[in-house]
Amino acid sequence: ALGRSVYLWDATKGQVNQLCELGGTDDNFVCSVSFIGDGKHVAVGTNDAEVQLWDVENMKQVRSMRGHQARVGALSWNSFTLSSGSRSGHIHNHDVRIANHHVSTMLNHDQEVCGLRWSPDGTQLASGGNDNLLNIWDAGNANAARHTLTDHQAAVKALAWCPWQPHLLASGGGTADRHIRFWNTNTGACLNAIDTKSQVCSLLWSTEHREIVSSHGFSQNQLTVWKYPTMAKAAELTGHTSRVLHMALSPDGQTVVSAAGDETLRFWKCFASDAKLKAKKMAGAGAPGALAGSG
């Protein structure tokens, strides 16, 4: 997204197509985007407090969901439930399959919700705010957060759930904090904290390797690849000239795309496939009596 527009990039063809250009007030712009799991629809949060749902294949808007009173800067899917976080501090949960989409509201931030992420198993939602709070919510209980964690000393925008260890969450703090913290979200215990010496804007786990990548702002605007759990630096990737606000992982788990305030996207081959590990996984999946995903 750039300004009022959302674009789709086709990696197989190298083509870029404009999905939409927002109407509304003169100062309306795109604040957040998030694909549903099957990739057929994308949610768009706007500065006009609207959440739009777009059909990617047919390039048309299928829903407009109102209810927020301020810009929608964070979105996260859990199956057919879309959670949206607003500048007001409110989190709304929408069931996009039904007419009365707004099914619940989560209230425990008194400033903007700038980070929102459902766990891979759909049982917990992590929310980070400009109030320096990190909240862990249990699915099905919007009335009270399971944990309210106050260790960060700046806004909590960067959130990432570990794809291979349940209830392990990484969070990153802004300029006055600079730390990546690791949490057991069942107990609320902080397992480790690393001072990165720079604001942490985004976090991504590798799906295949025991590694995590962080993106940063001043002064290097770099991506850093860390070994987990030692948190030894594996690589530092530089090139952006402004803070790296967002990252996304390719479906094959090998390429990280970063988006920065310099209005560029950069593609990094961070997580090359481990052929031996992949062969071992395939062999295990095909073994008699093996349970897919049991690890």
Side-chain angles (χ1 to χ4, degrees), residues 32-288:
S32 52
V33 292
S34 182
F35 273 105
I36 196 171
D38 64 10
K40 293 181 179 179
H41 294 85
V42 65
V44 178
T46 77
N47 193 50
D48 276 359
E50 182 185 12
V51 179
Q52 300 180 359
L53 192 61
W54 286 78
D55 180 329
V56 171
E57 293 178 348
N58 296 305
M59 306 281 281
K60 67 178 184 179
Q61 185 177 347
V62 293
R63 290 207 72 166
S64 171
M65 295 181 287
R66 293 282 184 176
H68 283 295
Q69 302 302 311
R71 71 182 182 196
V72 182
L75 297 167
S76 185
W77 288 92
N78 182 14
S79 185
F80 292 102
T81 297
L82 174 65
S83 297
S84 58
S86 169
R87 192 174 192 175
S88 68
H90 292 195
I91 299 167
H92 290 180
N93 296 312
H94 315 264
D95 186 332
V96 300
R97 299 168 297 181
I98 60 178
N100 296 322
H101 57 86
H102 184 185
V103 292
S104 61
T105 300
M106 294 169 165
L107 301 173
N108 205 37
H109 290 285
D110 57 21
Q111 293 187 43
E112 182 165 13
V113 178
C114 50
L116 206 56
R117 195 75 66 203
W118 278 100
S119 62
D121 63 5
T123 61
Q124 292 184 318
L125 175 68
S127 65
N130 276 0
D131 51 12
N132 307 347
L133 296 182
L134 170 60
N135 288 308
I136 308 298
W137 307 83
D138 287 330
N141 182 13
N143 297 322
R146 180 188 182 102
H147 301 293
T148 296
L149 307 168
T150 61
D151 297 45
H152 283 293
Q153 303 303 306
V156 184
K157 179 179 180 294
L159 297 169
W161 292 91
C162 181
W164 35 263
Q165 186 171 328
H167 310 297
L168 174 59
L169 174 72
S171 62
T175 306
D177 181 79
R178 306 179 305 275
H179 281 72
I180 300 172
R181 301 180 190 276
F182 296 90
W183 307 90
N184 178 328
T185 59
N186 268 350
T187 65
C190 184
L191 307 175
N192 196 8
I194 299 295
D195 186 352
T196 69
K197 312 298 183 185
S198 178
Q199 68 180 129
V200 184
C201 301
S202 183
L203 290 164
L204 271 181
W205 290 91
S206 170
T207 53
E208 189 166 314
H209 304 282
R210 296 297 193 259
E211 293 178 340
I212 187 170
V213 59
S214 56
S215 74
H216 300 272
F218 182 83
S219 62
Q220 286 189 278
N221 307 306
Q222 83 279 18
L223 280 68
T224 303
V225 182
W226 308 82
K227 297 287 185 182
Y228 187 84
T230 64
M231 293 307 287
K233 285 186 184 179
E236 287 209 325
L237 310 171
T238 56
H240 281 295
T241 57
S242 182
R243 61 177 177 153
V244 186
L245 296 166
H246 301 285
M247 295 187 294
L249 189 64
S250 62
D252 67 5
Q254 296 189 45
T255 303
V256 172
V257 60
S258 55
D262 57 17
E263 299 186 3
T264 67
L265 299 177
R266 292 176 185 261
F267 296 81
W268 313 86
K269 201 78 168 179
C270 287
F271 304 125
S273 181
D274 186 325
K276 290 183 179 178
L277 181 61
K278 186 164 284 187
K280 186 178 179 181
K281 283 183 178 178
M282 292 298 289

